[in-house]
Amino acid sequence: MKFFNNEDTKIFALGGLGEIGKNMYCVMHNNEIIIIDAGVTFPQGDLIGIDYVIPDFTFLKQNESKIKALFITHGHEDHIGGIPFLLQSVNIPAIYVPNQAIGLIRKKLNERNIQYKNLFVYTEKDKVKFKNMEVEFFKTTHSIPDSHGIAINTPNGTIVATGDFKFDFTPVGPMANLHKMATLGNKGVSLLLSDSTNALNEGMSMSESRVDEALGEIFKSHDGRIIVATFASNIYRVKHIIDTCRRNGRKIAIFGRSMETNIEISIESGYIKNNDLFVTPSEANRLPDNKICLLCTGSQGEPLAALSRISNGTHRQIQLKDDDVVVFSSSAIPGNAVSISRTINKLYLKGVKVYTNTLLSDIHTSGHGKAEELKLMIRLMKPGYFMPVHGEYRMLKTHADLAIECDVPKENTFILSNGEILSLYKGKVTKNGIVQASDVYVDGNRIGDISNAVMKDRQVMATDGIVVVIANVDTSKNILLSNPNITTRGFVLVNYNFELLKELEEISKKAIISKLKDRINYAEVKQEIIGQLAPYIYDKTGRKPIILPVIMNIKETK
Amino acid sequence: MKFFNNEDTKIFALGGLGEIGKNMYCVMHNNEIIIIDAGVTFPQGDLIGIDYVIPDFTFLKQNESKIKALFITHGHEDHIGGIPFLLQSVNIPAIYVPNQAIGLIRKKLNERNIQYKNLFVYTEKDKVKFKNMEVEFFKTTHSIPDSHGIAINTPNGTIVATGDFKFDFTPVGPMANLHKMATLGNKGVSLLLSDSTNALNEGMSMSESRVDEALGEIFKSHDGRIIVATFASNIYRVKHIIDTCRRNGRKIAIFGRSMETNIEISIESGYIKNNDLFVTPSEANRLPDNKICLLCTGSQGEPLAALSRISNGTHRQIQLKDDDVVVFSSSAIPGNAVSISRTINKLYLKGVKVYTNTLLSDIHTSGHGKAEELKLMIRLMKPGYFMPVHGEYRMLKTHADLAIECDVPKENTFILSNGEILSLYKGKVTKNGIVQASDVYVDGNRIGDISNAVMKDRQVMATDGIVVVIANVDTSKNILLSNPNITTRGFVLVNYNFELLKELEEISKKAIISKLKDRINYAEVKQEIIGQLAPYIYDKTGRKPIILPVIMNIKETK
C-alpha cells in the first residue's frame, strides 16, 4: 500500500503511561486519527468516592472530525471501560473489537442506554484501510481470550502496539501468532509500543497449563465443597475450572454478577462450549459436598462480592461448612492487600481450608509477560524505536532498559508521560509537543464535575468531619437574630460533647458580633468565624474539620 | 517461691488477637493484675481519620486497685504506644521496661506532658515479686534491641509470653538466651503465649548478618550518594548502616524526626557507640557523593516522611542527583503498597537507582520468626497449653497447627479473640468467660469520642460529600421565611452546577411547605426534605451524599 506522504505521523497516549489503567493510545496522520483502546482506572488510595478515572477527551473533542476509528485490543476494563464515556463525549465512526470483547462492550453500552451501531468484530485475517493508514492484527496470549496486537502502517513507517500479552508455549487457548509477529518484524517496525506490567519481574511467567494441573491436584485431594474465587474476565481460568469439575465429577454454581456476565458472554461467543455442568445455588445446596464447586467473584476482597458475603456469613444462599476449601486463583492487586486479608481471616475463622497464591504459587499465573517474554517481543519486532506503555514509571524505565539490552539504541527509547507526542517522519522518531491528558474523575453518572477542590473537601471531611455554623442576621438593624446554630457531622460524638458545642456557639457569636458594622461584609464575618473556631477546635480536639459558616440575612430574604 | 492458692489464674488479651497491633495481655490472680505491653494500632483501610486504635481499658478501670504493674517486652509502638492513654485512664503503680524502651517511653510521655515517676528498667537478671506472682525475663532477638520474653510464675503454674521474637544464630546484637528458655521449659510451662506474625511463612528467617553483607555489597559497588530508608526503630539495621559507612569511608546525615529520636536514644543507651560519623545536612551537601550516606524515614511511602519529600523534590535540603542510589532496607506493611509504589515511581522518574527487598531480598529481614523458629520456641518451652498471640486470625490458626505438630494436644491450643478469658487452675487451662475488649479510637487528642456513627458519617462524606439545607421558618405564622439555603461540600463542583443546586432548593422548599401545619414537627420536616432530595440527587448524579437539613425557627429564637 502506498501513501502520499507530506508530513509526520503523531503518536501519543491519553492514558496508560505512568499508571496501570485507562489505556488509550492515538495515532494521527494528517486529518486521520486512529485510537487504540479506551480504558478506565479504578481509583486507589486517596481518590475516595471516585468510581472511575478516565482519559481526558479534550483533544479528541477538538479534533472530532478527524477520528476514523477506535480499535480494541481485548476486553479488559482498563481497555474497554472508557467506551461509554468516550461515546458520550465524541462521535466515533466505528469501533473494531475482537470477538470476546463485543459481548462485554454491548452489555456495558446497554447498561447505560447508549445506542451505538458501528461495532465491528475483527479477526487476525482482517485489514482495515483508511486514507493514510492501514491497520492489521496479530493474535497474542493474555488472561482473556481474543487478545490482539495491532500494527498500523503509516506513510512514515509501521507502528506496532502489542496490547497486553504474555508468551505461553503450552497455552489453554490458541497459540499466539509468533510467525505474524516475525513477519511484521522482518518487514520493518518503526516504533513498538509494548506492555510493561511485569517488566520488573525476571524470567518467564508460568504457563496457564501448570495452573490447570495445580487446580486438578486440589480437586483430587479434597472431598468437601470447593469454592474458587478468580477474576471473572479470566475465561481461560474459568474454562479450567469447568474442565477440572468435569474430570472430578463436580457440578458448578456461579456467584457474582460479573462472573455470570462473563460466563454468559463466553458461552454465546463459543469460548465455553458446554454449560451442562452449571446448576443453580439451590441445586448446589442439595448436592453432596464432593459433587459441587462454587465459582465466585471476590478474589480482591471487594466488600460486596460473593466471596466476601460468604465469608461474612451474610450470603443468602451459601453457608460455609467445616470441610469447605476456598481457592484464590488470583493475585492481589496492589492496594487490595488489607481487604483480601480481611476475607481470608474470616474464612480461617469459619474453619475452612484456604489456598492463596502466596501459599501455593501454582494456582495463579499472570496474564502479562515477564522480562524474558518482553525481550522475545522486542527481538521479534526488531523496532527502530521503542516506547514502553501500560505501566507505572518504574516498569516503563525497566522495560526501556530491556529494549536497550536487546539492541534498541538508548536514544531510540522513549519513556513518556500521557500527552507527550512522538513524531514519526520517514522512519525517524522524535519527541515533539504535548496534548492535554489529565485524569478525569467519574463519580456516579457525572463525568468530570469533581475537581481537586471537591476531592480535598472530601478528604478533610473523611479525616475530621464538618462543623456547620448558621447565623441569622438582620442587616437592617445590624443585629444577630439568635444564637448561631452549630451542627456537626463526622466530628465528635454529639451526645458526649454538649459543652464543647456550646463553646463553639459562644465563640461564633462573639466573632459575628465583632464584625457587625454599618455594612456587613459576609466574607469577613465568615473569615472571622473560621479564624476564631479553627484554633480553638484544634486545641480542644486535635482535629481540623471543615468549618462551614452560613450567614443568612433575614430581612433581605423575607 | 510458694503461693497460697485457693483460686484460678486468669489470662486474657485486651489487644493483639486477630490483629497485628495494640498488644496488651493481662494475667490476674485474686486481687493482683499484671499487664504485659500496652500498644497501639495504626488504623488501616476504612478507619479514615483515626490516628490510633487502642485497647479498651474498661476492665482495667473497673479493677484499678488490683493493677500491680505493667511490663513492657520491647520498645515498638504496637507494644508501648498505648502507655500515655493508659496512664490517662488508670493508675499504674509501676512500669517495668527494658533499657532501650525507656528512652522511647519517656519521650512519648514528655510529648503529652504526662508526669510519671515509676518507670523502672529491668534486665534479664531481675525478678519482680508480687503477693501471688513472680515475674522473670529472658532475652530474645527481634528488630529492636533489648527485646524480652516474660515468664510469670503463678500459684497455678508458669505462664510465658514470648514477646516478639526470631531466632538468629549469627545476630548483630547479643544472642537470645536459649538456655534460660530451656530452663524454663524444663521447670515446666503451663501456658505459652507466642508471637504468630510469621506463622504462615515456612522455613527460617534470614540472619541480620546477611543483611549486613548485602548492604556492604551495595556500598562497594556505587560511587554516588547512597540513600537508605529503613524503620527508625530498627536500631540493629541502623547500626549496620553506620558500620557499613565506616568501612566504606562515608559520613551519615539523618533525616526524619523518628530517625533522629531513635538514634539519639540509642546513643544515650549505648546501643550506638560512636557518633563521629554523623554530619548535618548542609555538611552532607558539601561532601563528595562517594563520601556520604543519607539515612532517612519514609520506607512505607508516608507522604510527609523524609524520603517522600526527597522523591517529590520538595525536601528543603536534599535534591536528588542522577547517580544517587536509594535502598529500601525494609518490607511493605500491608496496606502501604500503593504509597510505597508512588515513592518508588518518583525515584525512578528522577533517574536514580532503587533497591527494594522485592528486587533484592537480602537487604531486609523480618524481626519475627518463621515456622521453624516458632517450632523451636514451642520445643524449648514444652508448654502444657498453647495460646498463639500477636497475629491475624489465619496466623493464630496456623501457629496453633504448628504447636500441634510439636506435640501440644489439639484440645490444649486456644485460638481466642480479645477479651476471651483462659482460666489456669493447678496446671489445667480452660476457657471461661469474657471481659470487654472492643477497639477504642483515638482521633487527635481525644480518646473514645468517635463512635461508629461518626465514622459512618465520615465514610459517606468521603465518598459523596454533604448537602446542607437550611430553612428559616416562622412558626407563629407557619410560613417559610425565605427560600432554603443549599450549601454543599465534597458533592459537586458548585460553579458548574447552579441549575442542579437551584433544583435542590425548589424541591426542599416544596417539601417544607407541604409539612407546615398547625404545629410544625421538625423531625417530620427534616425527614420529608431527605425523602424528597435523596432520590432526586441519586437520579441526577449517582451520588448519595449526607443530606443535613437544619430548620431554624426565627420567632422562637428572636
Side-chain angles (χ1 to χ4, degrees):
Chain A
M1 192 173 185
K2 277 276 169 217
F3 301 105
F4 174 68
N5 185 19
N6 65 351
E7 59 188 311
D8 66 341
T9 306
K10 292 184 171 62
I11 303 101
F12 52 89
L14 291 177
L17 301 184
E19 61 185 344
I20 297 203
K22 69 172 169 68
N23 290 282
M24 185 172 229
Y25 308 97
C26 299
V27 176
M28 177 164 79
H29 190 91
N30 196 343
N31 56 0
E32 292 184 327
I33 296 174
I34 285 171
I35 308 168
I36 301 173
D37 289 334
V40 292
T41 307
F42 296 100
Q44 288 188 326
D46 43 9
L47 286 180
I48 33 182
I50 294 297
D51 297 321
Y52 310 104
V53 184
I54 59 172
D56 186 332
F57 301 137
T58 306
F59 178 86
L60 296 176
K61 279 186 218 165
Q62 291 164 350
N63 294 274
E64 194 167 6
S65 64
K66 296 184 183 170
I67 301 170
K68 293 301 154 198
L70 164 65
F71 291 87
I72 297 297
T73 57
H74 66 286
H76 275 155
E77 285 298 315
D78 56 337
H79 296 259
I80 66 170
I83 294 176
F85 307 111
L86 181 65
L87 292 179
Q88 281 167 15
S89 303
V90 292
N91 176 45
I92 304 288
I95 305 181
Y96 296 89
V97 306
N99 191 35
Q100 164 71 6
I102 198 165
L104 295 167
I105 294 168
R106 279 209 188 107
K107 179 117 194 156
K108 198 174 282 297
L109 297 179
N110 285 344
E111 280 170 0
R112 293 189 177 257
N113 290 315
I114 296 172
Q115 305 294 325
Y116 185 78
K117 299 291 177 202
N118 301 327
L119 266 182
F120 305 105
V121 170
Y122 69 76
T123 73
E124 209 183 18
K125 288 170 196 149
D126 294 318
K127 285 192 181 187
V128 184
K129 293 181 191 181
F130 303 95
K131 199 165 139 233
N132 295 297
M133 296 186 271
E134 183 192 63
V135 178
E136 55 185 321
F137 313 94
F138 55 94
K139 203 178 265 299
T140 57
T141 302
H142 185 45
S143 49
I144 187 170
D146 256 346
S147 277
H148 287 80
I150 289 177
I152 302 175
N153 302 303
T154 78
N156 290 301
T158 295
I159 299 157
V160 169
T162 62
D164 295 7
F165 75 95
K166 66 184 290 189
F167 284 105
D168 185 341
F169 305 126
T170 54
V172 167
M175 256 309 288
N177 196 339
L178 287 168
H179 304 89
K180 190 158 187 180
M181 297 179 205
T183 305
L184 281 165
N186 265 339
K187 282 200 288 186
V189 172
S190 295
L191 175 67
L192 175 64
L193 282 61
S194 186
D195 171 9
S196 311
T197 313
N198 269 339
L200 289 161
N201 297 98
E202 290 180 4
M204 174 133 188
S205 65
M206 192 174 65
S207 169
E208 189 70 24
S209 299
R210 177 61 202 121
V211 177
D212 208 9
E213 290 169 32
L215 286 174
E217 286 156 24
I218 292 175
F219 271 67
K220 273 190 209 104
S221 57
H222 289 286
D223 277 339
R225 293 188 302 185
I226 294 177
I227 301 170
V228 185
T230 193
F231 300 109
S233 66
N234 194 334
I235 294 304
Y236 293 131
R237 192 67 49 79
V238 170
K239 208 162 168 319
H240 289 302
I241 294 162
I242 296 170
D243 293 346
T244 310
C245 285
R246 188 182 310 282
R247 283 196 296 273
N248 291 275
R250 290 185 186 250
K251 299 276 183 187
I252 304 165
I254 308 295
F255 297 89
R257 202 173 68 98
S258 63
M259 191 63 84
E260 286 166 12
T261 305
N262 273 275
I263 289 179
E264 203 174 283
I265 287 169
S266 299
I267 291 172
E268 279 167 22
S269 50
Y271 292 93
I272 294 178
K273 296 270 184 287
N274 289 295
N275 56 4
D276 55 319
L277 291 187
F278 294 110
V279 297
T280 65
S282 52
E283 286 168 337
N285 278 330
R286 286 195 298 270
L287 283 166
D289 292 351
N290 64 353
K291 295 291 175 211
I292 186 69
C293 169
L294 314 178
L295 179 57
C296 57
T297 54
S299 70
Q300 298 303 308
E302 308 92 325
L304 299 177
L307 184 61
S308 306
R309 284 184 285 128
I310 290 171
S311 68
N312 283 336
T314 57
H315 197 280
R316 280 179 304 114
Q317 294 149 320
I318 299 299
Q319 308 297 321
L320 285 172
K321 301 179 185 181
D322 282 354
D323 56 352
D324 284 346
V325 174
V326 177
V327 182
F328 285 76
S329 187
S330 57
S331 59
I333 293 171
N336 294 343
V338 173
S339 58
I340 296 171
S341 289
R342 210 171 277 168
T343 302
I344 294 175
N345 280 312
K346 284 178 190 154
L347 292 168
Y348 268 81
L349 199 58
K350 307 274 182 191
V352 310
K353 175 94 187 150
V354 180
Y355 291 101
T356 67
N357 78 321
T358 54
L359 295 173
L360 192 66
S361 62
D362 289 1
I363 55 177
H364 179 67
T365 181
S366 171
H368 300 272
K370 297 184 179 179
E372 295 305 316
E373 293 153 88
L374 301 182
K375 289 184 201 167
L376 175 55
M377 180 63 84
I378 296 163
R379 286 298 188 190
L380 285 167
M381 292 294 172
K382 301 184 289 179
Y385 295 82
F386 182 71
M387 172 179 167
V389 299
H390 202 289
E392 297 173 17
Y393 188 82
R394 58 185 158 159
M395 301 159 194
L396 304 181
K397 174 73 172 67
T398 307
H399 199 183
D401 291 342
L402 296 177
I404 295 164
E405 282 180 44
C406 293
D407 296 332
V408 177
K410 183 165 195 285
E411 62 277 16
N412 289 12
T413 63
F414 291 93
I415 303 167
L416 302 186
S417 302
N418 291 328
E420 286 189 303
I421 302 170
L422 286 187
S423 162
L424 170 64
Y425 186 63
K426 297 188 174 169
K428 288 219 177 326
V429 173
T430 48
K431 231 170 104 173
N432 184 8
I434 194 156
V435 303
Q436 185 176 324
S438 53
D439 284 354
V440 173
Y441 303 141
V442 180
D443 181 25
N445 51 27
R446 304 202 139 203
I447 303 174
D449 84 338
I450 298 288
S451 67
N452 286 335
V454 173
M455 290 304 298
K456 182 87 194 353
D457 280 350
R458 288 184 178 183
Q459 187 74 47
V460 175
M461 292 192 293
T463 312
D464 288 328
I466 187 168
V467 175
V468 184
V469 181
I470 304 167
N472 279 309
V473 175
D474 181 342
T475 49
S476 67
K477 300 178 190 151
N478 253 335
I479 52 166
L480 180 65
L481 289 173
S482 60
N483 277 347
N485 172 307
I486 308 285
T487 308
T488 74
R489 279 293 184 278
F491 172 52
V492 292
L493 211 62
V494 173
N495 292 346
Y496 294 102
N497 289 282
F498 285 126
E499 260 178 54
L500 174 68
L501 298 177
K502 192 72 200 162
E503 274 302 316
L504 301 187
E505 189 183 309
E506 281 306 312
I507 292 166
S508 304
K509 187 176 173 179
K510 280 184 199 148
I512 298 160
I513 290 172
S514 76
K515 293 291 169 185
L516 286 178
K517 300 181 206 151
D518 290 350
R519 205 170 159 72
I520 181 170
N521 177 330
Y522 281 37
E524 204 177 287
V525 176
K526 288 181 184 180
Q527 207 42 59
E528 184 66 17
I529 294 173
I530 294 170
Q532 295 291 328
L533 283 187
Y536 182 82
I537 290 173
Y538 184 70
D539 182 52
K540 288 286 171 185
T541 66
R543 294 172 202 167
K544 295 178 175 177
I546 286 192
I547 299 171
L548 174 60
V550 183
I551 314 292
M552 307 201 41
N553 185 349
I554 292 307
K555 269 286 165 293
E556 220 172 54
T557 53
K558 241 179 189 168
Chain B
M1 192 175 185
K2 278 276 168 217
F3 301 106
F4 174 68
N5 184 22
N6 66 349
E7 59 187 313
D8 67 341
T9 305
K10 291 185 172 61
I11 304 100
F12 52 88
L14 291 177
L17 301 184
E19 61 185 344
I20 298 203
K22 68 174 169 70
N23 289 282
M24 186 172 228
Y25 307 98
C26 299
V27 176
M28 176 163 79
H29 189 91
N30 194 344
N31 56 1
E32 291 185 327
I33 295 174
I34 285 171
I35 308 168
I36 301 173
D37 288 336
V40 292
T41 308
F42 296 99
Q44 288 189 325
D46 43 12
L47 287 181
I48 31 181
I50 295 297
D51 296 321
Y52 310 104
V53 185
I54 60 172
D56 186 332
F57 302 137
T58 306
F59 178 87
L60 296 177
K61 278 186 217 163
Q62 290 164 349
N63 294 275
E64 194 167 6
S65 64
K66 296 184 184 171
I67 300 170
K68 293 301 153 195
L70 165 64
F71 290 86
I72 296 298
T73 57
H74 65 286
H76 276 152
E77 283 299 315
D78 57 337
H79 296 260
I80 66 170
I83 294 176
F85 307 110
L86 181 64
L87 291 179
Q88 282 166 15
S89 304
V90 292
N91 176 45
I92 305 286
I95 305 182
Y96 296 88
V97 306
N99 191 36
Q100 164 71 5
I102 198 164
L104 296 167
I105 294 169
R106 279 208 189 108
K107 179 120 193 151
K108 198 175 280 298
L109 296 179
N110 285 343
E111 280 170 2
R112 294 190 177 256
N113 290 316
I114 296 172
Q115 304 296 324
Y116 185 78
K117 298 293 175 198
N118 301 326
L119 267 182
F120 305 105
V121 170
Y122 68 76
T123 73
E124 209 184 19
K125 289 170 196 149
D126 294 318
K127 284 191 179 187
V128 184
K129 293 181 190 183
F130 303 96
K131 200 165 139 231
N132 294 296
M133 294 185 271
E134 184 193 62
V135 179
E136 55 185 321
F137 313 94
F138 56 94
K139 204 178 265 298
T140 57
T141 302
H142 185 45
S143 49
I144 187 170
D146 255 347
S147 277
H148 287 79
I150 288 177
I152 303 176
N153 301 303
T154 78
N156 290 300
T158 296
I159 299 156
V160 169
T162 62
D164 295 6
F165 75 95
K166 67 184 290 188
F167 285 105
D168 186 340
F169 305 126
T170 53
V172 168
M175 255 308 288
N177 195 338
L178 287 169
H179 304 89
K180 191 158 186 180
M181 296 179 204
T183 305
L184 282 166
N186 266 339
K187 282 200 288 184
V189 172
S190 296
L191 175 65
L192 175 65
L193 281 63
S194 186
D195 171 9
S196 310
T197 313
N198 269 338
L200 289 161
N201 297 98
E202 289 180 6
M204 176 133 185
S205 65
M206 192 174 64
S207 169
E208 189 70 24
S209 298
R210 177 60 202 122
V211 176
D212 207 10
E213 289 169 33
L215 286 174
E217 285 155 26
I218 292 175
F219 271 67
K220 272 189 211 103
S221 57
H222 290 285
D223 277 339
R225 292 188 304 185
I226 293 178
I227 301 171
V228 184
T230 192
F231 301 109
S233 67
N234 195 335
I235 292 305
Y236 293 132
R237 193 68 49 77
V238 171
K239 207 162 167 325
H240 289 302
I241 294 162
I242 296 171
D243 293 345
T244 310
C245 285
R246 188 181 311 281
R247 282 196 295 273
N248 290 276
R250 288 183 188 251
K251 299 275 183 187
I252 304 165
I254 308 295
F255 297 89
R257 203 172 67 97
S258 63
M259 191 63 85
E260 285 166 13
T261 303
N262 273 275
I263 290 179
E264 203 174 285
I265 288 170
S266 299
I267 291 173
E268 279 167 23
S269 51
Y271 293 93
I272 295 178
K273 297 271 184 287
N274 289 296
N275 56 4
D276 56 318
L277 291 187
F278 295 110
V279 297
T280 64
S282 52
E283 285 167 338
N285 279 330
R286 286 194 298 272
L287 284 166
D289 290 352
N290 65 353
K291 295 290 175 212
I292 185 70
C293 168
L294 314 178
L295 179 57
C296 57
T297 55
S299 68
Q300 299 302 309
E302 308 91 325
L304 299 177
L307 184 61
S308 306
R309 283 182 286 128
I310 291 171
S311 68
N312 283 336
T314 57
H315 197 281
R316 279 180 304 116
Q317 294 149 321
I318 299 298
Q319 309 297 320
L320 285 171
K321 302 180 184 180
D322 282 354
D323 57 352
D324 284 346
V325 173
V326 176
V327 182
F328 284 76
S329 185
S330 58
S331 59
I333 293 172
N336 294 343
V338 173
S339 57
I340 296 171
S341 290
R342 209 170 279 167
T343 303
I344 295 175
N345 279 312
K346 283 179 190 152
L347 291 169
Y348 269 80
L349 200 57
K350 306 275 181 190
V352 310
K353 174 95 187 147
V354 179
Y355 291 101
T356 67
N357 78 322
T358 53
L359 294 173
L360 192 67
S361 62
D362 290 0
I363 55 176
H364 178 67
T365 182
S366 171
H368 299 273
K370 297 185 178 178
E372 295 305 316
E373 293 155 87
L374 301 183
K375 289 184 201 167
L376 175 55
M377 180 62 85
I378 295 164
R379 287 298 188 188
L380 284 169
M381 292 293 171
K382 300 184 291 178
Y385 295 82
F386 182 72
M387 173 180 167
V389 300
H390 202 289
E392 297 173 16
Y393 190 81
R394 59 184 159 160
M395 300 159 194
L396 304 181
K397 175 72 171 68
T398 307
H399 199 183
D401 290 343
L402 296 177
I404 295 164
E405 282 180 43
C406 293
D407 296 332
V408 178
K410 184 167 196 285
E411 63 277 16
N412 289 11
T413 62
F414 291 93
I415 302 166
L416 302 186
S417 300
N418 292 328
E420 286 189 301
I421 302 169
L422 286 187
S423 161
L424 170 64
Y425 187 63
K426 296 186 175 170
K428 288 217 177 327
V429 173
T430 49
K431 229 170 104 171
N432 184 7
I434 193 157
V435 304
Q436 185 176 324
S438 52
D439 284 354
V440 172
Y441 303 141
V442 179
D443 181 25
N445 51 27
R446 303 202 140 204
I447 304 174
D449 85 339
I450 297 288
S451 67
N452 286 333
V454 173
M455 290 303 299
K456 182 86 185 23
D457 280 350
R458 288 184 179 183
Q459 187 74 47
V460 174
M461 292 192 292
T463 311
D464 289 328
I466 188 168
V467 175
V468 184
V469 181
I470 304 168
N472 280 310
V473 175
D474 181 342
T475 49
S476 66
K477 300 177 192 153
N478 254 335
I479 52 165
L480 180 65
L481 288 174
S482 60
N483 278 348
N485 172 305
I486 309 285
T487 308
T488 73
R489 279 292 184 280
F491 171 52
V492 292
L493 214 61
V494 173
N495 293 346
Y496 293 103
N497 288 282
F498 286 125
E499 261 177 53
L500 174 68
L501 297 178
K502 191 75 199 160
E503 274 304 315
L504 300 187
E505 189 183 309
E506 282 305 313
I507 292 166
S508 304
K509 186 176 175 180
K510 279 182 200 150
I512 298 161
I513 290 171
S514 77
K515 291 292 169 185
L516 286 178
K517 299 182 207 153
D518 290 349
R519 206 170 158 69
I520 181 172
N521 178 330
Y522 281 37
E524 204 177 289
V525 176
K526 289 181 184 180
Q527 208 42 58
E528 184 66 19
I529 294 172
I530 294 170
Q532 295 291 327
L533 282 187
Y536 182 82
I537 289 173
Y538 185 71
D539 182 53
K540 287 286 170 187
T541 66
R543 294 171 203 169
K544 296 178 175 176
I546 285 191
I547 299 171
L548 175 59
V550 183
I551 312 293
M552 306 201 40
N553 184 347
I554 291 305
K555 269 287 164 294
E556 223 173 47
T557 52
K558 240 178 189 171

